[in-house]
Amino acid sequence: MDDIKYLKDIESFHLYYVESIGSTNTFLKENFSKYPNNSILLAKEQTNGRGRYTRIWKSDEDYTFSILFKDLHHNEIIAPMSIVRALKEYGFDTKIKWPNDIYLNNKKLSGILIESVYGGISHLATIVGIGINKTDKEEVLGIGLNKDIDSIDLISKIIHEYNLLINEDFNNYINEYISYSNVINKKIIYQNEEYIVKGINEFGHLIIENDNISKTISSDEINIKY
Ligand code: BTN
């Protein structure tokens, strides 16, 4: 049985810890009604970590945690921004690869899995799952922080930034998000046609343009021409 312990509050968030669990996202998706808004579940080990599009998220003793929200936020924008800002405090210069991977030295450092639960058409919960590599993952060309950083210290910094951003107007931080993005103004191939990425809207969707046709896309089936 999962032995989940309450550790402490971080600002208006509640931090829980578990030694080993299948997936922190799956757990919070199934148990959101038993935990308050703004709960964070940190796992030392995930045995069945999940990535986007049914991919597996393999982690050894990396940073793996999920945040439960019962209210709505621009998580697609705020989650990667909070990670970039927090990592800057440890001296890392990271970039956001749309939609929400974090890259360090052109290699994937962190992934985010955002999942929502609905009851009919009512939004009940959103779970923002974050995995950050501590060590390199050669088999998937992933990079790690390779620095001795305490997980609670890292989460506290991310949560501090999250808290600032959820209380800010989208228009006040979107330009900062764009400055971290490595796709803006890049040429991309989408459905066999070439486009330029013009921006990102408040839902985290990509605005692309060619020959005066402007489109908004929410899927990540694009190829970036670097
Ligand atoms: C991706 O890049 O595809 C997203 C990876 C998300 C991994 C995190 S680790 C914590 C949380 N629990 C999971 O099972 N997945 C997310």
Side-chain angles (χ1 to χ4, degrees):
M1 207 187 84
D2 311 305
D3 187 12
I4 293 173
K5 293 185 188 76
Y6 164 74
L7 284 190
K8 62 172 185 170
D9 278 3
I10 301 172
E11 301 182 19
S12 53
F13 288 72
H14 319 289
L15 179 62
Y16 295 83
Y17 174 78
V18 66
E19 282 282 318
S20 178
I21 198 163
S23 152
T24 52
N25 258 50
T26 306
F27 181 85
L28 286 178
K29 237 165 69 172
E30 289 169 356
N31 295 281
F32 69 89
S33 58
K34 298 181 202 137
Y35 289 83
N37 184 30
N38 291 358
S39 291
I40 309 160
L41 178 58
L42 164 67
K44 185 169 177 201
E45 174 198 61
Q46 286 191 132
T47 53
N48 196 15
R50 294 185 298 109
R52 302 172 71 236
Y53 301 106
T54 69
R55 286 191 294 248
I56 293 168
W57 182 260
K58 232 179 125 278
S59 45
D60 310 309
E61 290 207 354
D62 299 301
Y63 306 99
T64 49
F65 60 98
S66 298
I67 314 167
L68 165 67
F69 293 105
K70 298 195 179 178
D71 44 7
L72 293 165
H73 304 294
H74 297 303
N75 293 306
E76 282 78 7
I77 306 280
I78 292 178
M81 272 189 84
S82 304
I83 297 170
V84 170
R85 281 186 178 184
L87 290 175
K88 218 179 248 188
E89 293 189 47
Y90 298 103
F92 295 102
D93 185 17
T94 54
K95 288 276 172 212
I96 301 169
K97 178 161 185 278
W98 185 82
N100 42 31
D101 288 342
I102 309 295
Y103 271 57
L104 175 66
N105 301 336
N106 293 321
K107 288 186 171 173
K108 182 159 167 172
L109 169 75
S110 164
I112 303 170
L113 176 64
I114 303 175
E115 299 181 294
S116 290
V117 186
Y118 288 89
I121 54 159
S122 310
H123 171 263
L124 300 178
T126 295
I127 292 102
V128 178
I130 297 174
I132 303 173
N133 297 331
K134 216 178 242 189
T135 53
D136 297 347
K137 304 279 168 273
E138 314 259 306
E139 60 300 353
V140 287
L141 302 176
I143 195 168
L145 291 174
N146 298 307
K147 197 170 179 172
D148 193 17
I149 294 175
D150 174 65
S151 52
I152 297 178
D153 190 66
L154 176 58
I155 288 179
S156 302
K157 286 188 168 52
I158 294 171
I159 288 301
H160 178 69
E161 299 303 335
Y162 223 111
N163 223 359
L164 291 174
L165 289 164
I166 57 184
N167 289 305
E168 273 233 36
D169 188 78
F170 174 82
N171 294 309
N172 292 342
Y173 56 77
I174 188 61
N175 285 336
E176 184 185 336
Y177 172 92
I178 286 170
S179 74
Y180 299 145
S181 168
N182 62 8
V183 302
I184 303 288
N185 295 325
K186 289 268 160 62
K187 280 187 188 153
I188 61 151
I189 305 293
Y190 174 66
Q191 295 181 342
N192 296 323
E193 280 196 63
E194 194 170 297
Y195 292 86
I196 302 265
V197 177
K198 300 306 279 185
I200 289 176
N201 71 14
E202 69 268 43
F203 308 109
H205 298 172
L206 211 58
I207 303 159
I208 58 173
E209 205 174 278
N210 84 9
D211 295 333
N212 301 325
I213 302 166
S214 187
K215 285 189 183 176
T216 300
I217 55 170
S218 59
S219 92
D220 70 349
E221 283 158 42
I222 61 164
N223 283 312
I224 299 165
K225 291 180 79 182
Y226 287 107

